[in-house]
Amino acid sequence: MKKRFDFTKTMIKEAGAFLLSHKSERVNITAKSANDYVTEADKKCENLIVSEIKKAFPQDGFYCEESGTIDSSSGYTWVIDPIDGTVNYMNTFPLYTISIALKKDDEIVMGCVYVPEYDELFSALKGSGAYLNDERINQSSFTDMKKSLAILVPPHRMHDELPYYMTRYEKILKAVSDIRGLGSAAISLCYVACGRCSIYYELGLHLYDFAAGAIILQEAGGKIKISPREGEMYDITSSCSQFFDKLLELTE
């Protein structure tokens, strides 16, 4: 597992360099469904990542946003989102990430999230803490939720969920200082992990959106509730540990 972790930290930066050098391909866009897009850069970046992993660990499996599932014979499965925040990438907004997690059987044991535009690498290996560019990170130390910053993301692909979401949005907004929306689940979880924000709440995500960020958050001391819904999708409720119980009350 440590060998795969070290390999990922090197390889994910190579994938980031690829995205930075292929920005022209952000304009080659295909709509997968309502408000859900893929660029040529997404596809090529994922192919690059999968190809490198296959060379190093040929028995491992994959669960990827663009290319789907490949079964594992080693017990390890890579969970890959080549660009988490494709709409950000399409629009030259810098908060897009490459998100790579590793499952051992059914447990997430490693996560790396790289932000190419800022050269920020968030990483965590189960039981070993969370890091930003190899410096240990920890959740926010705020004790007063009213002073905190929350990341709240409307269900832009599930408009029928807006009434349900807005009720909870209003409750959280009244309990915190201010809110943000970043456009990437992976970076949102990492921002809570390193204390830049204290809360992140979003509906209707896929495993590849949040798997890496979730273990990074947990290894930084934060907490997360992953609520399954139909179609292999999940709702995410997460925060620093001291606000988690209150957040669960607000989102009931």
Side-chain angles (χ1 to χ4, degrees), residues 155-183:
H156 57 287
R157 295 173 185 158
M158 303 183 303
H159 291 171
D160 57 328
E161 295 281 1
L162 273 169
Y164 173 90
Y165 172 84
M166 292 307 298
T167 299
R168 287 145 186 83
Y169 175 98
E170 182 177 357
K171 289 179 181 179
I172 299 172
L173 176 60
K174 290 178 178 178
V176 301
S177 176
D178 205 349
I179 61 167
R180 300 289 183 269
L182 304 181

Side-chain angles (χ1 to χ4, degrees), residues 10-26 39-49 52 82-83 89 96 98 114 116-117:
T10 299
M11 181 266 296
I12 200 170
K13 286 196 168 189
E14 295 172 358
F18 173 86
L19 290 180
L20 291 172
S21 66
H22 286 71
K23 290 184 178 181
S24 61
E25 298 191 25
R26 71 172 92 221
T39 68
E40 282 301 307
D42 287 84
K43 297 174 185 177
K44 290 182 178 180
C45 185
E46 182 171 293
N47 288 339
L48 172 67
I49 294 168
E52 291 301 308
I83 305 180
Y89 184 72
Y96 60 89
I98 302 169
Y114 185 54
E117 297 286 347

Side-chain angles (χ1 to χ4, degrees), residues 223-247:
K223 293 188 176 182
I224 183 169
K225 178 183 177 183
I226 302 169
S227 305
R229 57 166 60 220
E230 292 182 2
E232 295 186 345
M233 299 182 77
Y234 304 84
D235 298 342
I236 299 298
T237 307
S238 63
S239 72
C240 54
S241 60
Q242 60 270 30
F243 296 158
F244 192 64
D245 290 342
K246 178 62 175 178
L247 180 62

Side-chain angles (χ1 to χ4, degrees), residues 9 121-124 128-138 193-194 216 220:
K9 288 193 291 182
L121 174 58
F122 296 88
S123 63
S128 300
Y131 295 84
L132 168 54
N133 292 345
D134 296 324
E135 294 289 330
R136 188 76 176 255
I137 56 174
N138 291 285
C194 71
I216 292 168

Side-chain angles (χ1 to χ4, degrees), residues 22-36:
H22 286 71
K23 290 184 178 181
S24 61
E25 298 191 25
R26 71 172 92 221
V27 299
N28 299 320
I29 302 164
T30 302
K32 296 192 288 185
S33 60
N35 291 328
D36 190 8

